Amino acid sequence: MRFTTCPLDCFDGCSIAVSKDLKLKGNKSHPITQGYLCHHLNHYHTFERIEEARYLGQSIKINDALAILSEKLRTYEPSRTLYFKGSGNLGVMQGVTKRFFAEHKAVLASGSLCDEAGDAGISEGRGANLCLSPLHVKDAEVVILWGRNPSVTNSHMLPSLKGKTLIVIDPVKIDLALNAALHIQIKPRGDLYLALLLCRLVAMEEMEDQTFLQERTLNYKDYLEFINGIPMRKLLDKSHVNLDEVGELLHLVKGKKVSILVGIGVQKYSFGHSVLRAIDAFGAMLGLFGKKGCGVGYLSNSGFGFTSPFKVNAKTEPLPIVNFGKYDLVFIQGGNPLNQMPCTSKVKEGLHKAKCVVYFGLHENETSSKADLVIPALSFLEKEDLKLSYGHPFIGRMPKLVDGKGGISEYALTQALLSSFGYEALASEESIIEGVIASNSSEKDGFLISKTYEEYPYEKTFYTKSGKFEFLEEFDDDFDDEEGFFLIAAKQNKSLNSQFVTDDYLYVPLCLGLEQEERVRLTNRYGSAEYSVMPSDKLRDDCLLLYSGAKNANQLTPYAMSQEGNCATYQEMKVKLEKVQ
């Protein structure tokens, strides 16, 4: 039996036992994986791979594809070349391609489609975004699932939830809400206001951890004055909760060890960074940082403390609103912008204007089908790599276990391009990977673990300049709450990042009186899309839901990005619904 690690963009970072016939099973001895794989990895082999290179629809050899790529890179000005990398594979070596494009003076798309607004907010208040893993949460007495559904996105957290008092804050009645002690079915965009309301009431009820506030925080009195200046009625209306619900939440957490697990849905708005700062402020007022079983967890900075081998200086353009049409050559690695990016109409228009679109990836998708040049990548079983997880502190080696057929690794492609243009060659793969490990690793229970792992995160210090937790000082919310429905996106177990087994139903609240399979049209200022209806008793009356990957969903999402973090703001809009006759 050989061992490797799942590379996917997921909290779990499964440790995998691989049999001789390449069957994948969970590593029974791993502290997080504990012998079973998550849903996403179990679907890994079900997606259509790119089996051979092609140019203008014709199959070609991989060496010919590299020659064509080199020719195109010489034909077009570097300033008119764009490098766009997706985030479906989180192996460290995935970033090596940046080295060539930075050396070539190309423009790099920078930012995120999903999580960097929240990360920016956490970093502003704590200085660094440390992991709150299942190892920490197992010691909690109360767990608040705030816009996070571990059943779908973090299945290896589930054992740590057993026996805990669960509180769910989510506009959707997720499965875990059915047996929770409390479910607050919050209004979308209301998370910041609920967090501020909780802070107000914690102060009114004198539930603050005064010792923590005095010794380990900065500007608390200013924060309290700031939130006291916001009318209580505004906080209630914006979050659409009632005082009885909030009072019950405070009753459940009072004097308890509390872990708050936050999902990315809460920050898919222009002020997403402020949402995480407000939730963090609630945690700080209760003194939840640096204590056993306590904390606020989000997608952590998996690279914190490690050497970054592919950090480059280059001209960048914000990824969520990148204008593909500005460039002659667009190199897309591992993403699927024609499905994943907001405002599909602008993405289509931009890629159509580009003179040459290159797709380098593992699976066929909407973007690969439209590319001029397609270069197949190797799977994680076919190349050397390393996984740093944002859901737990363990470091996962990813050795090459089988030879690939027809594809090329990111390292080999980069090395070939550097050689073709006479740029300095890369160090060996082994030295790069071992250098990252050596920069920040120790051992725990026979496994490599980050040296920055803290038994109680932030127990000794915060990573701000002051060394203290810093409270939110202001926020900017200029959203026009127009008529219509909020459109929520959620993941399913059968979805795999940019590769989706699509569920194209539009889920609607029962109050609309629509029947299953009825056709409806959604419209807003960004576009329109038609769907078949699936009535659901899990939604608020003002919400509609599409699962990730649903066809044409991003016809309706805004061409915009967050105030901080260069992050897409998918839910910063509303839609109108009408029946299709």
Side-chain angles (χ1 to χ4, degrees):
M1 193 70 72
R2 297 165 295 175
F3 296 93
T4 187
T5 306
C6 175
L8 300 178
D9 183 358
C10 173
F11 282 99
D12 292 328
C14 294
S15 178
I16 308 166
V18 185
S19 65
K20 290 183 179 179
D21 58 356
L22 299 184
K23 288 185 178 178
L24 310 182
K25 295 183 178 181
N27 184 350
K28 293 181 180 180
S29 63
H30 193 272
I32 302 296
T33 305
Q34 297 183 32
Y36 70 95
L37 302 178
C38 76
H39 316 280
H40 307 296
L41 185 54
N42 278 327
H43 284 91
Y44 183 81
H45 289 302
T46 65
F47 301 97
E48 182 184 4
R49 279 190 65 168
I50 299 172
E51 296 183 349
E52 55 187 0
R54 59 181 183 265
Y55 180 58
L56 302 180
Q58 300 298 311
S59 297
I60 58 175
K61 294 180 179 179
I62 193 72
N63 287 338
D64 294 333
L66 295 178
I68 292 170
L69 176 57
S70 294
E71 177 194 345
K72 295 296 183 183
L73 286 164
R74 286 185 169 88
T75 299
Y76 302 118
E77 289 292 325
S79 62
R80 301 275 295 175
T81 296
L82 176 73
Y83 169 81
F84 180 103
K85 180 183 174 296
S87 58
N89 184 319
L90 297 186
V92 168
M93 296 302 295
Q94 301 301 296
V96 67
T97 41
K98 285 195 300 184
R99 162 71 192 286
F100 167 77
F101 286 94
E103 190 88 26
H104 192 60
K105 307 300 182 185
V107 179
L108 277 56
S110 175
S112 166
L113 293 179
C114 63
D115 67 290
E116 289 199 12
D119 180 77
I122 289 172
S123 297
E124 288 175 0
R126 306 184 211 166
N129 181 7
L130 302 187
C131 179
L132 191 73
S133 79
L135 302 178
H136 301 111
V137 178
K138 66 180 177 62
D139 293 319
E141 296 171 303
V142 178
V143 177
I144 300 176
L145 300 176
W146 201 320
R148 185 150 149 194
N149 186 2
S151 296
V152 174
T153 62
N154 191 189
S155 60
H156 287 88
M157 182 63 79
L158 295 176
S160 294
L161 303 184
K162 290 181 179 179
K164 308 293 190 291
T165 298
L166 291 185
I167 299 171
V168 174
I169 302 173
D170 202 304
V172 180
K173 189 183 295 181
I174 62 174
D175 291 345
L176 287 169
L178 300 178
N179 295 311
L182 175 66
H183 176 207
I184 298 180
Q185 202 160 8
I186 191 172
K187 181 180 179 181
R189 287 193 101 258
D191 305 276
L192 177 129
Y193 296 97
L194 175 57
L196 297 180
L197 176 62
L198 288 168
C199 290
R200 281 277 296 273
L201 294 176
V202 165
M204 290 172 61
E205 297 294 326
E206 298 183 345
M207 289 174 58
E208 317 102 300
D209 184 329
Q210 290 291 354
T211 301
F212 179 86
L213 292 173
Q214 291 172 16
E215 296 180 357
R216 304 213 53 209
T217 72
L218 201 66
N219 67 316
Y220 171 61
K221 290 184 178 179
D222 292 338
Y223 175 70
L224 199 58
E225 183 178 347
F226 167 60
I227 61 174
N228 283 336
I230 304 173
M232 188 78 78
R233 174 47 53 190
K234 180 178 180 179
L235 299 177
L236 289 166
D237 289 346
K238 287 282 191 178
S239 56
H240 207 259
V241 300
N242 61 63
L243 285 174
D244 289 339
E245 292 176 311
V246 180
E248 177 65 13
L249 186 153
L250 294 181
H251 171 72
L252 290 170
V253 303
K254 188 174 183 179
K256 302 294 184 180
K257 292 183 286 187
V258 181
S259 288
I260 304 174
L261 302 180
V262 185
I264 63 173
V266 307
Q267 51 89 72
K268 293 182 178 180
Y269 308 104
S270 59
F271 62 178
H273 69 296
S274 296
V275 177
L276 266 295
R277 292 203 72 179
I279 295 173
D280 265 4
F282 172 56
M285 289 182 69
L286 294 177
L288 299 184
F289 294 102
K291 298 177 182 176
K292 184 177 182 179
C294 298
V296 181
Y298 182 65
L299 284 73
S300 71
N301 177 1
S302 60
F304 180 67
F306 290 90
T307 296
S308 180
F310 310 122
K311 189 174 183 179
V312 297
N313 291 317
K315 184 178 180 181
T316 62
E317 182 170 346
L319 185 147
I321 56 171
V322 65
N323 181 0
F324 292 109
K326 286 170 51 179
Y327 301 94
D328 295 324
L329 174 62
V330 175
F331 182 94
I332 298 169
Q333 178 185 323
N336 185 11
L338 279 173
N339 175 282
Q340 294 175 300
M341 282 190 69
C343 201
T344 302
S345 59
K346 282 189 175 292
V347 177
K348 284 183 177 179
E349 179 185 354
L351 289 176
H352 181 73
K353 287 181 179 179
K355 293 178 180 178
C356 181
V357 176
V358 180
Y359 185 82
F360 174 44
L362 189 64
H363 294 107
E364 298 285 8
N365 56 41
E366 292 88 340
T367 306
S368 68
S369 69
K370 299 295 183 182
D372 300 292
L373 176 62
V374 177
I375 303 175
L378 297 178
S379 80
F380 73 102
L381 299 175
E382 300 165 347
K383 59 192 176 187
E384 301 286 338
D385 213 330
L386 183 73
K387 173 70 176 286
L388 308 176
S389 174
Y390 56 68
H392 63 72
F394 291 95
I395 302 165
R397 289 187 180 274
M398 301 168 63
K400 179 181 176 180
L401 300 179
V402 64
D403 289 331
K405 296 180 180 179
I408 187 171
S409 72
E410 291 73 17
Y411 177 88
L413 181 140
T414 304
Q415 195 76 295
L417 289 175
L418 291 169
S419 175
S420 176
F421 282 80
Y423 301 147
E424 182 180 352
L426 296 164
S428 69
E429 278 185 293
E430 180 182 8
S431 65
I432 294 171
I433 291 171
E434 294 305 321
V436 173
I437 293 173
S439 70
N440 188 37
S441 70
S442 57
E443 192 170 298
K444 179 181 174 66
D445 300 327
F447 292 90
L448 290 172
I449 191 170
S450 168
K451 278 185 180 177
T452 54
Y453 168 75
E454 297 180 9
E455 187 174 3
Y456 308 135
Y458 307 99
E459 180 183 20
K460 296 180 180 179
T461 188
F462 288 94
Y463 295 85
T464 56
K465 290 182 179 180
S466 65
K468 296 184 177 182
F469 178 87
E470 299 184 4
F471 281 94
L472 174 71
E473 296 178 338
E474 60 182 357
F475 67 90
D476 181 17
D477 180 11
D478 57 1
F479 179 68
D480 181 12
D481 196 356
E482 57 196 357
E483 291 185 6
F485 295 90
F486 292 100
L487 182 59
I488 299 171
K491 284 190 175 183
Q492 287 182 304
N493 290 337
K494 58 188 178 183
S495 299
L496 185 63
N497 301 300
S498 62
Q499 292 77 41
F500 297 100
V501 177
T502 55
D503 177 345
D504 291 322
Y505 279 111
L506 174 71
Y507 290 79
V508 302
L510 300 180
C511 68
L512 295 184
L514 295 169
E515 300 292 332
Q516 184 175 338
E517 303 293 346
E518 278 193 82
R519 295 289 292 177
V520 297
R521 180 182 297 112
L522 301 183
T523 58
N524 63 14
R525 71 186 73 175
Y526 306 108
S528 66
E530 294 186 8
Y531 297 98
S532 295
V533 159
M534 180 66 74
S536 172
D537 62 356
K538 297 181 178 181
L539 298 174
R540 289 171 50 98
D541 290 349
D542 57 358
C543 291
L544 309 174
L545 182 144
L546 287 170
Y547 283 108
S548 295
K551 291 180 180 177
N552 301 319
N554 280 316
Q555 297 276 13
L556 302 160
T557 50
Y559 180 72
M561 69 176 183
S562 56
Q563 296 163 6
E564 300 290 342
N566 285 6
C567 190
T569 58
Y570 289 104
Q571 294 177 180
E572 190 86 337
M573 52 84 184
K574 298 180 82 172
V575 297
K576 293 182 179 179
L577 180 149
E578 60 181 350
K579 287 186 179 182
V580 176
Q581 302 299 327

